[in-house]
């Protein structure tokens, strides 16, 4: 006989659990503690099974009957409702355990295992922090609109380049999730073109010889920390990226043979890079050794020798000297060297690009053109240091056609 709401409300617990049937396999199980639980008893593939349909009164009589009908429809379709429920729970659990943040961290750990540059790892973690609004969401459930909202929020702050970088980083995470069986698609793909294109920014650099000379004189007069001064004095000569210089270790230098070998893990292109050392740079390095010793970090942090100088130290020094961010940056010194060396007409573009540790933009040419141009680069670095000395001393340099520079004092 079918149950009624009145009967159910008046059912009282007994010393042992008992059942009250509603028909068609649906029954209410009353426990000694007072709980009333809906159950559906059925057979599937010759086995007796039962399916929990909820707790009364959270699930009323009408609700329990609707759930019963749904379960019976599955049985008629040849599916086991209990097995299907377990499958859905497993999928939900799998998705919950694979959030965007979980997969992103796994992806970054893989980058660490591949010995990617420290700066690359730091940037990846920073980009992940900017995508915090979707960090805890199951990666398979994230929709394009959710990502768009985050990116537009970043864009609204005037950080267009960051928004584009975040989209690109998120795309790599979604593609990694798909490749490892935890995602279904890359929802950022359709967002291409939806963000405002960022303005291309170039590192501020001095390109006039007279201005370069004034900068070098100002550096020599810098009254702050001696290590910072020496970093600024060396940087224009060696043409490396700021991070490659400030993280240098004395074990990388062979002063006797005038060469500095930057290890692959610190290079942007993941290849070791050799830098010819001019007489002037050797002199600066000898002065540095008298301050730091001949082992460990070449440019240690002010408060501890176990860490390197901060990435902002040199640029902050330029600001204290009166040079704004649109005039001079540590990275911009590479632009200064590239521009003036190319304008001199003395050196092959290949040698200059090799000293800047740039990869050949022509992929096929890059495979076959592996010459190190070491002889030319050694001569070029010494000429460049001599040229910088002339600018610092106030020699006016006038470019001539061909392969020469005219030098005259004002």
């Amino acid at each position: 006989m079918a149950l009624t709401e009145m009967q159910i409300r008046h059912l009282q617990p007994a010393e042992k659990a008992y059942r009250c049937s509603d028909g068609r396999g649906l029954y209410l199980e009353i426990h000694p503690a007072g709980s009333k639980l809906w159950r559906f008893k059925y057979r599937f593939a010759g086995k007796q099974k039962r399916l929990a349909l909820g707790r009364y009164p959270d699930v009323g009589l009408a609700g329990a009957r609707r759930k019963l009908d749904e379960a019976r429809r599955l049985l008629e379709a040849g599916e086991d409702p209990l097995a299907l429920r377990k499958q859905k729970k497993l999928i939900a659990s799998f998705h919950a355990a694979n959030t965007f943040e979980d997969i992103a961290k796994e992806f970054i750990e893989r980058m660490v295992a591949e010995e990617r540059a420290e700066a690359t790892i730091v940037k990846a973690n920073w980009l992940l922090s900017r995508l915090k609004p979707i960090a805890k969401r199951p990666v398979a459930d994230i929709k394009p609109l959710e990502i768009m909202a985050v990116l537009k929020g970043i864009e609204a702050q005037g950080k267009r380049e960051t928004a584009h970088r975040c989209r690109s980083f998120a795309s790599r995470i979604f593609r990694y999730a798909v490749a490892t069986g935890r995602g279904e698609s890359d929802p950022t793909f359709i967002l291409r073109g939806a963000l405002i294109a960022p303005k291309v920014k170039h590192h501020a650099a001095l390109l006039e010889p007279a201005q370069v000379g004034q900068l070098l004189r100002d550096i020599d007069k810098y009254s702050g920390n001696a290590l910072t001064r020496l970093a600024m004095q060396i940087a224009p000569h060696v043409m490396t990226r700021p991070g490659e210089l400030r993280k240098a270790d004395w074990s990388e230098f062979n002063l006797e043979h005038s060469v500095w070998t930057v290890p692959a893990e610190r290079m942007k292109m993941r290849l070791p890079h050799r830098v010819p050392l001019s007489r002037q740079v050797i002199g600066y390095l000898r002065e540095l050794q008298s301050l730091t010793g001949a082992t460990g970090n070449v440019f240690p942090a002010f408060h501890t020798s176990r860490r390197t100088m901060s990435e902002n130290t040199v640029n902050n020094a330029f600001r204290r000297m009166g040079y704004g961010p649109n005039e001079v940056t540590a990275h911009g010194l590479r632009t200064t060297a590239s521009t003036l060396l190319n304008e001199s007409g003395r050196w092959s573009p290949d040698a200059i690009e090799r000293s800047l540790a740039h990869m050949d933009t022509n992929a096929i040419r890059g495979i076959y053109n592996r010459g190190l141009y070491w002889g030319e680069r050694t001569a070029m670095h010494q000429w460049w240091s001599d040229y910088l000395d002339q600018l610092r001393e106030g020699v006016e340099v006038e470019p001539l056609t061909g392969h020469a520079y005219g030098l005259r004092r004002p």
Side-chain angles (χ1 to χ4, degrees):
M1 183 177 177
L3 294 170
T4 66
E5 282 286 352
M6 182 69 72
Q7 289 176 319
I8 295 171
R9 284 198 295 270
H10 287 87
L11 289 173
Q12 298 298 317
E15 192 174 324
K16 292 183 179 181
Y18 66 96
R19 301 173 180 179
C20 291
S21 176
D22 187 57
R24 299 192 301 158
L26 177 65
Y27 64 89
L28 192 64
E29 191 173 84
I30 298 89
H31 287 254
S35 58
K36 301 173 182 178
L37 307 175
W38 291 109
R39 299 284 188 258
F40 169 42
K41 184 171 67 175
Y42 66 98
R43 294 187 71 83
F44 186 85
K47 293 183 179 180
Q48 187 77 41
K49 297 190 175 186
R50 69 175 188 165
L51 180 69
L53 300 181
R55 177 191 296 269
Y56 183 88
D58 297 336
V59 178
L61 178 59
R65 288 171 177 171
R66 282 194 298 271
K67 290 190 175 187
L68 172 67
D69 291 339
E70 292 169 6
R72 283 191 165 278
R73 278 195 292 270
L74 290 172
L75 284 170
E76 290 172 5
E79 294 188 72
D80 181 359
L82 181 60
L84 192 61
R85 175 180 292 181
K86 288 180 178 179
Q87 183 183 29
K88 288 182 177 179
K89 283 185 176 180
L90 283 173
I91 292 173
S93 177
F94 179 76
H95 285 172
N98 290 290
T99 65
F100 181 85
E101 183 178 44
D102 292 332
I103 295 178
K105 287 182 176 179
E106 181 181 315
F107 181 80
I108 293 170
E109 286 173 3
R110 183 173 138 173
M111 293 168 66
V112 173
E114 292 173 350
E115 298 184 347
R116 302 287 292 276
E118 182 184 347
T120 302
I121 305 301
V122 170
K123 180 62 70 65
N125 278 301
W126 180 76
L127 291 171
L128 175 57
S129 72
R130 299 308 305 267
L131 294 166
K132 188 176 180 180
I134 62 170
K136 301 300 182 182
R137 294 273 289 126
V139 72
D141 294 346
I142 298 175
K143 306 301 181 186
L145 187 61
E146 294 178 75
I147 306 166
M148 190 63 176
V150 178
L151 299 179
K152 280 297 185 181
I154 296 171
E155 186 181 78
Q157 299 171 15
K159 299 176 180 178
R160 297 178 185 176
E161 178 66 27
T162 299
H164 278 264
R165 287 180 181 274
C166 283
R167 192 209 65 80
S168 179
F169 175 74
S171 177
R172 292 198 296 274
I173 302 308
F174 285 116
R175 284 185 278 121
Y176 177 70
V178 172
T180 55
R182 292 168 291 179
E184 298 176 0
S185 64
D186 174 10
T188 70
F189 182 79
I190 64 173
L191 300 181
R192 293 182 178 183
L195 297 173
I196 300 173
K199 294 181 180 179
V200 178
K201 293 184 178 180
H202 299 286
H203 294 286
L206 299 179
L207 303 179
E208 294 298 327
Q211 294 176 326
V212 176
Q214 185 59 56
L215 173 66
L216 296 174
R217 290 190 291 274
D218 291 340
I219 290 174
D220 287 347
K221 293 185 292 185
Y222 181 68
S223 59
N225 187 281
L227 296 180
T228 304
R229 170 180 56 80
L230 284 161
M232 291 190 290
Q233 288 173 319
I234 293 172
H237 294 263
V238 294
M239 310 179 205
T240 56
R241 297 176 180 86
E244 295 159 5
L245 179 61
R246 70 182 180 83
K247 295 180 181 179
D249 190 276
W250 282 115
S251 63
E252 301 164 6
F253 290 84
N254 187 326
L255 300 187
E256 183 179 347
H257 291 91
S258 303
V259 61
W260 168 28
T261 304
V262 187
E265 60 266 22
R266 215 165 64 248
M267 295 299 299
K268 183 177 181 179
M269 298 303 176
R270 317 309 295 152
L271 294 170
H273 178 56
R274 291 201 305 162
V275 181
L277 302 177
S278 65
R279 293 188 302 274
Q280 289 87 335
V281 174
I282 294 290
Y284 290 134
L285 290 172
R286 295 290 187 196
E287 183 180 350
L288 259 174
Q289 281 189 335
S290 69
L291 299 173
T292 67
T295 60
N297 292 318
V298 176
F299 297 100
F302 301 155
H303 55 284
T304 173
S305 61
R306 288 178 292 183
R307 289 205 295 271
T308 61
M309 179 183 289
S310 164
E311 61 180 331
N312 297 317
T313 299
V314 169
N315 281 334
N316 288 341
F318 284 143
R319 305 302 160 256
R320 286 193 292 272
M321 290 162 54
Y323 290 91
N326 295 322
E327 295 178 281
V328 178
T329 64
H331 203 289
L333 296 174
R334 287 164 51 82
T335 303
T336 298
S338 176
T339 301
L340 297 183
L341 283 168
N342 277 292
E343 286 183 353
S344 77
R346 290 173 173 265
W347 315 103
S348 70
D350 285 329
I352 296 171
E353 290 300 289
R354 183 67 67 178
S355 276
L356 292 167
H358 285 162
M359 294 296 285
D360 200 312
T361 54
N362 184 318
I364 301 300
R365 182 175 182 273
I367 293 173
Y368 293 101
N369 186 23
R370 294 185 178 180
L372 296 177
Y373 305 95
W374 185 251
E376 182 180 1
R377 289 178 59 215
T378 299
M380 179 179 71
H381 276 251
Q382 187 56 59
W383 179 89
W384 176 241
S385 288
D386 292 341
Y387 176 64
L388 291 178
D389 279 354
Q390 292 161 357
L391 295 182
R392 190 179 66 251
E393 292 166 6
V395 176
E396 189 175 318
V397 183
E398 296 178 353
L400 302 176
T401 57
H403 299 279
Y405 259 71
L407 305 177
R408 64 183 176 83
R409 292 193 178 277

